[in-house]
Amino acid sequence: MPTIEISLKDLSRLVRKKLSVSALATALQYVKGEIESSEGDRLKIEIADSNRPDLWSTEGIARELRSRYGNEKSLAKFKTKKSGLKVIVEKNLRNIRPRTVCAVVRGLKIDDEILFQMIQLQEKICENFGRRRKEVALGIYDYNRISPPIYFRAYGPGEIKFVPLDFNVEMSLKDILAEHPKGKEYAHLLAGMKKYPVFIDSMDHVLSMPPVINSDFSGKVTKDTRDVFIECSGFSMKFLLPALNIMVAALADRGGRVETVDVVFPDGKMQTPDFTPGKILVNPDRARNISGLHVTDADIAKLLMKARYDVKNEHGKLAVLIPSYRQDVMHEVDVIEDMIISHGYNNIGPITPSLASTGKLTPVNNFVKKITELMIGLGNQEVLSYTLTNKDNMIKKMNIESMKIIEIDNPVSKNWSVFRTWITPSLIEFMSNNTNKEYPQRVFEIGEVVIYDAKAETRSKNPVMLALACAGSDANFTLAKQQLDFVLRTIGIEYVVEETEHCSFITGRVGIVYANGREIACLGEIHPKVLSNFGIEQPVCTFEMNLSEILSLIEKK
Amino acid sequence: MDLVKALESLSPVERSVLPYIKDGMELRAIARDAKLQEIEVMRAIQWLENKGMIKVSSSTKDVIVAGVNGKLYMKTGLPEKRFLEALSGKMSIDGIKKATKLDDNEIRICLGLLKARYAISILGNAIEPTSERDRILKEGFAEEAFLRSLPKNFDELTENEKMLFARLAKRRNIVMKETTKLRFVELTELGKKLAAGSKKIKMDLIETLTPQMLKGKTWSGKKFRRYDIKTGVPKINPGKRQPYSEFLQDVRERLVSLGFEEMHGPVIETEFFNFDALYQPQNHPARDWSATYRIKEPKYGDLPEKSIVSSVKKAHEKGIGGSSGWGYKWDSKTAARLMPRAHDTAISPRFLAKGVKIPGKYFSLVRCFRPDVIDATHGVEFSQLGGFVIDKDLTFRHLLGLLKQFVFEITGIEYVRFSPDYFPFTEPSVQIAAKHPKLGWMELAGAGIFRPELTLPMGVKEPVIAWGFGIDRLAMLKLGIKDIRDIFSNDIEFLRKAEKVF
C-alpha cells in the first residue's frame, strides 16, 4: 500500500477545480485512496491498490478525478512525435538486464512541486511496482547533455568509470557496488554477474548503471532542465511498458511534449512510448450479474468512460479499451469493478442474502466450549497466551534437554521464535509474572499447539490442548488428579494413570494418562528446579490433556 | 433505632465488649477487662462505631506494654517469685530448677536479684533462704503488680513506676516501650442506653443456624442475631473466563446463529494456500522475506493434487477463464514452502477445493502470524475472522447487504459506508466503515467477490463472496482495551477484575 505526498493546490490546478480537503476525501474513493494525514496544503494519501502505479502521483490522481468532475472522459489522449533518437541494446546484456524502453519529453517547465512528484513517482514505481528495482529501474536524464545515439551495453567491473550522481569522484563499476551507498543497497541485484549494465552515449559519457545509480553528468534533473530522456530497464515488457507510460503520461499532463525513441534490440526493434490502448471484451450480462445493477449497455459504457476507458460495441459484447498506463486489467471483472466504482458503492442498494444454511462450530470448538465450562466450574481462571514462545521458556527453564520443535527462520524477536508443543510452560510463565499476586492461583488455557509430523501435508499437526496449573499451598498431585478425574469422568472417558519420568516434574509424582491404549494427558507436581528457574515460590501442580485425541475417542464410541 | 432491634444486631463479640466500655477507655484496657484478644476488640469497636453506638478517637502515645516474657510471667508469676516460693529450705540449684521449671538464664537472674535483696544466701552449690524470704513473699513483688497494670502511658508513669519499668527493661522481653496508636472509646447516647440494656435484657440469640438446631427444632421460639448486611465482604477469586477468549467465543456463536459453518486450517501453511491459490504472484513484495515469516526446518510441505496445482500454475502464467494471468514462470518449489498462516483467507481455497455446499456460508476465526514489530497496535499474533458465502446468483449488492448485516450483528451499528478497496484475490473489492457514536468512522471489514483465477482452479464456478474482519480491533473496542497486547494479558489481577461485556 503506497503512501504518497501531494499538494492540494497543485492537485486542484491539475483537476481544474478548487478542492477542499473534505471534498477530496470523498473523491479519493475513485482512486481507492484515503487521506492519512494533512498539514496545511500538504497531504499524505494512502493508495490501497498496489497494482495501480499510475495512481501514485498527483498527475495520476488528477487524471482520474478530471473525468469525475466532468472536465474530460474516456481515454486520456497523448500526442507523440518522433525524436529520431536511437537506443541500441547490445547482445552482451542477455543474461544481465536485457530489456529497456525509452522516451523523450521536451518543453518542461519544472517547479519544486513537479520535481518532487517526478522523483516520488520514480521511487514508488521502482520500489513497489518494480519490486525494489529488480523488475523496473527507471532513470530520468537531462536530454541536452546526451550525444545520441545511446548504447545500452554491459561492461566489466573495472572496465569503465564515471562520477555517480551528487558525487565528485570518478568510480569504477566495481567500486560503486562496493562503496557507494546506493551501490551497496542494490548490489545484490547484480550479484554473480561478470559484467554490469550501462547506458552510455556516443561521446562515451555514461548516463547510468541501472538498476544502481545515474551519472552526475547527465543523470541529474533540476528546475532548469527543459528536455528529458527517460529509460526503464529490466526483463519483461509487462513491467517496463506500463512503467514508462506512467512516467511519460505524468510529464505530458504537466505540459511536456512526448517524443518517441527507437529501441534497437539484437532481435528486433521497438518504438516507445506506445500509447496504443489495450483491449478486453466485457460481457454486459456478466457486468449486470456481478454488480446486481439494472444498467443498460449504454449505461455501462457511460460508467466506464468516466473511469477513463473507451467502449465500443462488438457483436453484443463491449470492447473496452484500456489506458496504456494500466497493467492491472487481467480479466473482465477488473473492468466491472471500475464500472461499479463509477456508479458509486454507496448508491447501490445492499440486499441481505437469504440463503438456507445451517450454522455450526467445528467439532473441536464445540467440544472446547463444553470443556471450558467444566474448567470454570472447577474454579479455574481462564488465560490466553501466544502460540509462539521461545526455547528458553519452553525447554531450558522447564528442565528439558531437547525437544523436536518448529522454529521461525526470520523471527522479529527471539522471544517469539518457536511454536509451542505444549501449553504448560506458558502457564508457568504466566505464574512467574504474578508471584506478588494473591494465592492460590489456578489457571487454565485451551489452545492449539504445533507438533512436528513428517507425514502431514504441512509437516505439522495442531492438536487442541487443555492445560491446568495450580499454585499455592494446596497445589499437589492430588489436586491435579482430582481436576483431571472430574473432567474425564464427566465426559465419560475411562482412563489409567501410569508412572513415568519427566524432568519438568518431581520423580514419583508424575504420570501419563491413557484411555483405550492412547496417551491422552500427563499430570504431576512441577519440579522445584523449574519453579526456581521461573522465580516461583509456591508449589505448582499441572495437567495437560489432548482434547483432539479425546474427541476422536468420543466420536468412535 | 429501636433498642431491642439494635441489641439483636450485636454480634457476640460486640455484646461481650459493650458492657466493659467506660468513657475515655483505651482499647487495650477494654480487651484486658473483657478478657478478649485486642484484634477482636478492635473489630468490635469498629462495628459499634459504624452502628453509631460509640465514638472512637485516636492518638499516638509511647506506651509501656508487656513483651513475650512479660505476658508469660503475668500468668506464671515472675521467676524470682517462683524461685523464692520453691525455696522452703536449703536446696541445690538443680533441685530448684526441677521445682520451678526455670531455665539457666532465669536462674542466674534470680540468684542475682534475690541475693541483692538479701532473700537468699549462696553456699557453693547450695542455696538457703534468709529470714527476709517470708516477708518478701508476703509483701509481694512490686514489679509483678506493675506488669499486671500494663499497658500504661509512659508519660503518666509515677517515679516509682519509672524505676520498676527501668528494672524490668533490663531483662529480656518483659516490657517494651511502643509507639502505639491508642484508640479511646466513648459511648454515644445510644451506646449508653444499649450498655445499660445489655445488662438488663437477657439476650438469647442464635448466632449460627446448625443442622443440630434444625434436627432438634431448638431454633423454635428463639431470635436470630441480626447481621449488618451492609458491611463489605472479602473478595473471592473463583473460576472465570478470559475476556478476549470469551469475546471470540461470542463472535463464533453469533456467526453460527447467522447460519455460518466454521472452517479450520493448519497453523503452518504452504505458501500455495497462503498466496498462490489466492492469485498472489510469487514475485509480489508481500511475499518477501521481510513481509512474511518462514519456517527454519522443515522448509517445504506437500502441494495438493496435481489438477489443482497445474490449474493454479496456469492461472498465474497464462491466465484462466478469460484472464490474461500475471505472465511469469510459476515455481512449484516456492509454492511448497512452509510458513505460519499469515491470514485467515488461506483456509478458504482449501475448503473450496474440498467441495462446499451450495448455497453455503462459511467462516473461520483463527490465529494469524506476521513479522510486525510489536507495539500498542501490533500484537505477537492476531486473530482474523473471515469466510465466504457461495450461491449461484450472488451479486455485489448481496455482498454489501451481507457486510451491513455483519456489522450490525457484531457491533450493533447501523450507519455504514462502503469504499472501493484492493485485495489481490477479490474483484470487485470493498471496505466497510461504521460510524461509532463516540469514535466516529471506523474501518471494520474488507470483502469482495473472489477472482475467477482463484475459484476456477478450485473447481468452483459459482460466485463466491469473501469477507474478513479485523476482529482484534473490535475486541479492544468492546473490552475497553487500549493496548492490543492486553488482550493476551498475563496479569492475573487484571483477569480477576475484568468485568463481563455484553
Side-chain angles (χ1 to χ4, degrees):
Chain A
M1 255 195 231
T3 301
I4 60 162
E5 191 181 321
I6 66 159
S7 145
L8 188 60
K9 214 193 285 169
D10 184 44
L11 181 70
S12 298
R13 185 172 64 183
L14 285 170
V15 177
R16 299 198 278 278
K17 185 183 167 65
K18 195 161 166 31
L19 292 165
S20 66
V21 175
S22 66
L24 180 65
T26 312
L28 281 177
Q29 62 173 298
Y30 296 116
V31 296
K32 298 185 182 178
E34 208 174 285
I35 299 175
E36 207 183 73
S37 63
S38 66
E39 215 187 304
D41 181 51
R42 301 214 70 81
L43 306 177
K44 287 216 166 105
I45 294 176
E46 190 177 74
I47 305 284
D49 199 334
S50 57
N51 218 10
R52 285 284 307 266
D54 60 298
L55 298 174
W56 301 345
S57 67
T58 314
E59 297 88 349
I61 294 174
R63 196 179 307 129
E64 211 56 46
L65 297 189
R66 275 201 295 278
S67 74
R68 309 295 172 179
Y69 289 105
N71 295 325
E72 287 175 13
K73 64 173 186 178
S74 188
L75 292 176
K77 302 278 188 300
F78 301 101
K79 271 189 239 155
T80 59
K81 71 178 200 186
K82 280 190 179 183
S83 69
L85 172 68
K86 257 192 197 169
V87 175
I88 297 139
V89 182
E90 301 206 345
K91 247 205 309 232
N92 67 355
L93 280 169
R94 208 172 60 166
N95 294 315
I96 300 173
R97 201 168 181 87
R99 296 287 168 197
T100 184
V101 292
C102 312
V104 167
V105 182
R106 288 184 181 274
L108 286 169
K109 292 191 188 81
I110 298 176
D111 62 13
D112 286 333
E113 187 55 28
I114 293 174
L115 190 62
F116 178 84
Q117 289 300 323
M118 200 193 286
I119 294 167
Q120 177 173 264
L121 180 59
Q122 180 191 13
E123 276 172 7
K124 297 287 171 191
I125 287 175
C126 295
E127 289 300 302
N128 296 43
F129 176 65
R131 315 293 190 244
R132 304 207 169 108
R133 300 196 189 179
K134 181 173 183 283
E135 296 290 354
V136 182
L138 188 151
I140 308 176
Y141 310 84
D142 186 340
Y143 186 42
N144 296 322
R145 305 205 79 176
I146 298 170
S147 310
I150 297 168
Y151 298 88
F152 187 30
R153 64 165 75 106
Y155 285 94
E159 209 178 329
I160 196 167
K161 285 182 169 184
F162 70 97
V163 180
L165 184 62
D166 295 331
F167 266 51
N168 55 17
V169 286
E170 237 184 17
M171 296 173 84
S172 71
L173 304 185
K174 186 179 69 184
D175 292 344
I176 289 172
L177 293 182
E179 295 172 52
H180 192 279
K182 290 282 171 204
K184 286 193 276 190
E185 190 178 343
Y186 295 102
H188 67 278
L189 294 175
L190 297 173
M193 288 171 188
K194 289 196 178 72
K195 290 189 169 190
Y196 305 133
V198 168
F199 281 98
I200 190 165
D201 72 5
S202 60
M203 301 284 285
D204 282 346
H205 283 124
V206 171
L207 279 71
S208 68
M209 170 189 182
V212 180
I213 186 106
N214 281 7
S215 74
D216 198 59
F217 177 72
S218 53
K220 194 174 186 173
V221 176
T222 68
K223 283 199 279 181
D224 301 324
T225 310
R226 289 286 160 265
D227 306 327
V228 295
F229 166 71
I230 304 169
E231 53 75 19
C232 287
S233 70
F235 304 86
S236 157
M237 288 300 165
K238 254 190 109 91
F239 279 97
L240 299 178
L241 289 170
L244 181 72
N245 283 1
I246 288 165
M247 181 53 84
V248 173
L251 296 180
D253 285 354
R254 293 288 187 181
R257 298 187 308 274
V258 183
E259 295 184 359
T260 58
V261 174
D262 292 309
V263 187
V264 185
F265 296 105
D267 53 353
K269 277 208 296 198
M270 261 183 111
Q271 203 172 68
T272 60
D274 182 354
F275 290 110
T276 311
K279 188 174 122 178
I280 188 165
L281 288 178
V282 173
N283 180 344
D285 286 333
R286 188 153 191 190
R288 284 183 279 267
N289 287 341
I290 288 179
S291 65
L293 292 171
H294 303 291
V295 282
T296 63
D297 290 10
D299 293 335
I300 296 171
K302 223 166 150 184
L303 290 169
L304 289 179
M305 272 149 72
K306 267 188 160 185
R308 311 234 65 164
Y309 294 100
D310 207 354
V311 186
K312 292 188 174 82
N313 209 313
E314 224 175 81
H315 320 292
K317 283 197 172 180
L318 301 173
V320 176
L321 301 183
I322 307 159
S324 62
Y325 48 81
R326 282 188 65 172
Q327 45 74 52
D328 61 304
V329 178
M330 290 182 260
H331 192 275
E332 59 183 331
V333 293
D334 295 298
V335 178
I336 293 168
E337 183 192 64
D338 284 331
M339 175 196 89
I340 307 173
I341 292 173
S342 278
H343 186 275
Y345 277 15
N346 294 299
N347 299 331
I348 307 170
I351 306 170
T352 310
S354 56
L355 316 182
S357 64
T358 318
K360 61 176 177 193
L361 295 173
T362 59
V364 73
N365 275 344
N366 196 45
F367 187 51
V368 162
K369 206 173 88 182
K370 294 180 193 297
I371 299 295
T372 305
E373 263 179 38
L374 291 180
M375 294 307 289
I376 301 284
L378 280 163
N380 303 301
Q381 168 69 51
E382 186 190 20
V383 305
L384 219 52
S385 44
Y386 296 110
T387 322
L388 285 170
T389 177
N390 54 71
K391 285 186 195 167
D392 198 41
N393 279 336
M394 190 171 76
I395 303 172
K396 201 174 149 206
K397 283 191 188 166
M398 290 303 290
N399 203 19
I400 296 170
E401 253 182 34
S402 75
M403 197 178 222
K404 179 79 188 169
I405 49 166
I406 293 192
E407 208 172 328
I408 287 186
D409 204 7
N410 52 339
V412 171
S413 153
K414 266 262 172 279
N415 289 342
W416 318 107
S417 55
V418 305
F419 283 94
R420 63 183 180 188
T421 58
W422 60 325
I423 297 179
T424 303
S426 303
L427 295 184
I428 308 270
E429 194 197 341
F430 179 92
M431 286 178 156
S432 76
N433 289 313
N434 290 288
T435 50
N436 57 347
K437 306 286 160 61
E438 196 182 329
Y439 285 95
Q441 295 175 4
R442 294 184 182 180
V443 295
F444 78 100
E445 177 170 357
I446 298 177
E448 286 181 316
V449 297
V450 179
I451 309 281
Y452 175 74
D453 180 358
K455 280 181 239 138
E457 177 197 344
T458 60
R459 306 289 174 262
S460 56
K461 54 185 179 186
N462 312 123
V464 174
M465 308 297 278
L466 155 66
L468 166 82
C470 303
S473 49
D474 63 342
N476 55 28
F477 189 85
T478 305
L479 178 65
K481 193 170 172 183
Q482 278 175 320
Q483 296 235 350
L484 173 125
D485 176 69
F486 172 76
V487 173
L488 292 178
R489 218 163 7 96
T490 312
I491 58 177
I493 296 287
E494 281 177 28
Y495 67 93
V496 287
V497 181
E498 301 287 353
E499 272 183 21
T500 187
E501 285 282 333
H502 193 302
C503 299
S504 303
F505 297 89
I506 297 172
T507 301
R509 299 182 184 186
V510 50
I512 294 183
V513 182
Y514 294 92
N516 274 21
R518 277 149 76 179
E519 193 181 317
I520 55 161
C522 72
L523 79 164
E525 286 182 21
I526 296 293
H527 200 282
K529 205 157 155 194
V530 173
L531 296 178
S532 116
N533 288 343
F534 280 98
I536 296 171
E537 289 170 348
Q538 294 275 345
V540 175
C541 64
T542 66
F543 76 64
E544 181 150 353
M545 212 183 258
N546 187 330
L547 295 183
S548 301
E549 191 76 45
I550 292 170
L551 181 62
S552 74
L553 288 177
I554 292 172
E555 281 167 345
K556 267 185 203 154
K557 270 206 261 180
Chain B
M1 201 196 224
D2 176 0
L3 203 65
V4 176
K5 199 171 157 189
L7 278 170
E8 282 172 12
S9 74
L10 296 179
S11 70
V13 60
E14 285 172 294
R15 239 178 298 142
S16 44
V17 163
L18 196 56
Y20 294 98
I21 298 179
K22 285 175 207 94
D23 276 355
M25 225 174 159
E26 209 276 321
L27 184 143
R28 265 163 269 249
I30 301 170
R32 186 190 57 210
D33 291 355
K35 299 192 174 58
L36 288 167
Q37 297 285 322
E38 278 172 25
I39 184 85
E40 291 175 299
V41 177
M42 181 119 66
R43 219 177 291 143
I45 66 166
Q46 200 173 344
W47 292 339
L48 288 168
E49 191 182 23
N50 290 346
K51 290 174 185 160
M53 295 168 185
I54 57 169
K55 263 190 201 150
V56 182
S57 56
S58 58
S59 62
T60 47
K61 286 257 164 77
D62 284 338
V63 176
I64 309 303
V65 293
V68 182
N69 288 337
K71 279 178 190 159
L72 178 73
Y73 297 154
M74 275 199 256
K75 283 187 212 143
T76 59
L78 283 168
E80 54 269 35
K81 181 176 150 194
R82 285 151 62 195
F83 188 106
L84 209 54
E85 278 170 351
L87 191 72
S88 46
K90 188 172 172 181
M91 285 173 87
S92 71
I93 288 182
D94 280 347
I96 296 168
K97 227 194 256 180
K98 230 177 241 166
T100 59
K101 297 198 174 75
L102 293 171
D103 64 29
D104 289 341
N105 190 42
E106 286 168 325
I107 294 281
R108 208 176 56 239
I109 290 168
C110 290
L111 290 173
L113 279 172
L114 294 172
K115 187 145 185 284
R117 292 180 71 170
Y118 308 105
I120 55 169
S121 53
I122 304 168
L123 310 152
N125 212 13
I127 316 289
E128 217 175 9
T130 67
S131 54
E132 278 292 284
R133 173 185 177 263
D134 293 342
R135 197 187 60 79
I136 291 172
L137 279 179
K138 202 175 155 206
E139 225 169 59
F141 285 81
E143 288 91 342
E144 199 171 293
F146 174 68
L147 198 55
R148 287 187 207 282
S149 75
L150 295 180
K152 273 202 152 131
N153 266 339
F154 182 74
D155 294 344
E156 291 163 11
L157 294 184
T158 62
E159 287 306 313
N160 182 46
E161 283 171 332
K162 272 185 191 157
M163 187 267 299
L164 292 171
F165 169 64
R167 274 191 194 167
L168 289 173
K170 276 184 209 149
R171 297 163 67 178
R172 204 190 304 168
N173 289 339
I174 297 182
V175 288
M176 283 182 300
K177 190 155 88 177
E178 262 183 1
T179 306
T180 324
K181 195 171 176 186
L182 296 176
R183 290 172 182 80
F184 298 98
V185 178
E186 223 174 306
L187 287 164
T188 60
E189 282 309 306
L190 175 66
K192 277 176 192 154
K193 275 186 213 159
L194 279 175
S198 69
K199 279 171 203 150
K200 276 181 232 150
I201 304 169
K202 192 172 181 311
M203 288 277 149
D204 188 12
L205 299 175
I206 295 176
E207 189 57 28
T208 309
L209 184 62
T210 64
Q212 282 75 20
M213 288 178 193
L214 289 166
K215 242 180 249 167
K217 294 202 166 49
T218 55
W219 54 270
S220 165
K222 285 186 186 163
K223 281 188 170 178
F224 289 84
R225 204 255 301 170
R226 285 172 183 273
Y227 287 160
D228 178 4
I229 57 167
K230 287 182 181 164
T231 190
V233 292
K235 289 183 178 58
I236 52 170
N237 298 309
K240 193 149 154 264
R241 290 215 63 172
Q242 206 272 8
Y244 175 58
S245 166
E246 187 173 22
F247 169 81
L248 296 180
Q249 180 71 45
D250 288 349
V251 169
R252 278 197 179 92
E253 278 173 17
R254 192 58 64 88
L255 265 296
V256 168
S257 75
L258 290 171
F260 283 81
E261 184 173 332
E262 190 180 12
M263 303 183 285
H264 198 251
V267 173
I268 310 287
E269 258 298 359
T270 53
E271 287 202 17
F272 183 84
F273 281 110
N274 198 82
F275 290 127
D276 295 282
L278 296 173
Y279 198 53
Q280 195 128 337
Q282 294 186 327
N283 61 1
H284 195 278
R287 298 181 67 159
D288 276 358
W289 171 260
S290 60
T292 52
Y293 280 136
R294 302 242 169 104
I295 301 298
K296 196 176 242 175
E297 184 55 43
K299 281 202 165 15
Y300 297 96
D302 298 330
L303 292 179
E305 56 195 270
K306 251 197 186 132
S307 61
I308 294 176
V309 175
S310 61
S311 208
V312 166
K313 177 182 162 82
K314 189 177 163 218
H316 279 245
E317 290 186 343
K318 298 190 198 93
I320 192 167
S323 164
S324 60
W326 285 107
Y328 70 99
K329 197 160 168 17
W330 188 83
D331 175 31
S332 63
K333 189 88 180 164
T334 303
R337 200 154 53 195
L338 292 173
M339 62 179 286
R341 171 174 59 212
H343 53 174
D344 72 294
T345 319
I347 297 172
S348 292
R350 283 185 174 278
F351 270 72
L352 288 171
K354 252 194 261 176
V356 290
K357 291 171 207 147
I358 298 169
K361 302 204 252 185
Y362 294 86
F363 82 99
S364 63
L365 175 46
V366 292
R367 219 64 86 71
C368 301
F369 307 84
R370 284 184 203 168
D372 293 319
V373 173
I374 299 150
D375 60 23
T377 55
H378 295 88
V380 176
E381 296 164 18
F382 60 101
S383 293
Q384 267 193 338
L385 169 68
F388 59 85
V389 175
I390 180 168
D391 198 9
K392 49 185 196 313
D393 293 319
L394 290 175
T395 70
F396 191 64
R397 294 179 70 182
H398 292 113
L399 177 134
L400 300 186
L402 180 79
L403 282 180
K404 211 177 154 176
Q405 183 188 23
F406 270 153
V407 168
F408 183 71
E409 288 290 339
I410 294 175
T411 66
I413 301 174
E414 225 168 331
Y415 199 38
V416 297
R417 180 179 74 188
F418 301 107
S419 355
D421 206 342
Y422 174 78
F423 306 105
F425 40 87
T426 54
E427 195 83 15
S429 307
V430 57
Q431 178 215 99
I432 185 168
K435 194 164 193 182
H436 188 271
K438 281 191 205 122
L439 306 170
W441 286 106
M442 293 187 319
E443 289 168 20
L444 287 181
I449 297 174
F450 271 144
R451 296 188 68 99
E453 294 95 331
L454 186 165
T455 49
L456 291 177
M458 302 302 134
V460 171
K461 294 200 174 63
E462 294 75 10
V464 182
I465 290 177
W467 52 273
F469 273 79
I471 201 71
D472 287 349
R473 276 191 57 198
L474 274 179
M476 288 168 74
L477 186 70
K478 194 108 185 173
L479 303 174
I481 288 173
K482 297 264 154 32
D483 187 320
I484 202 163
R485 288 166 287 197
D486 286 341
I487 64 178
F488 285 89
S489 174
N490 61 12
D491 179 354
I492 199 166
E493 223 31 57
F494 172 85
L495 296 174
R496 282 170 172 171
K497 282 184 188 153
E499 288 172 19
K500 287 265 176 187
V501 292
F502 306 96

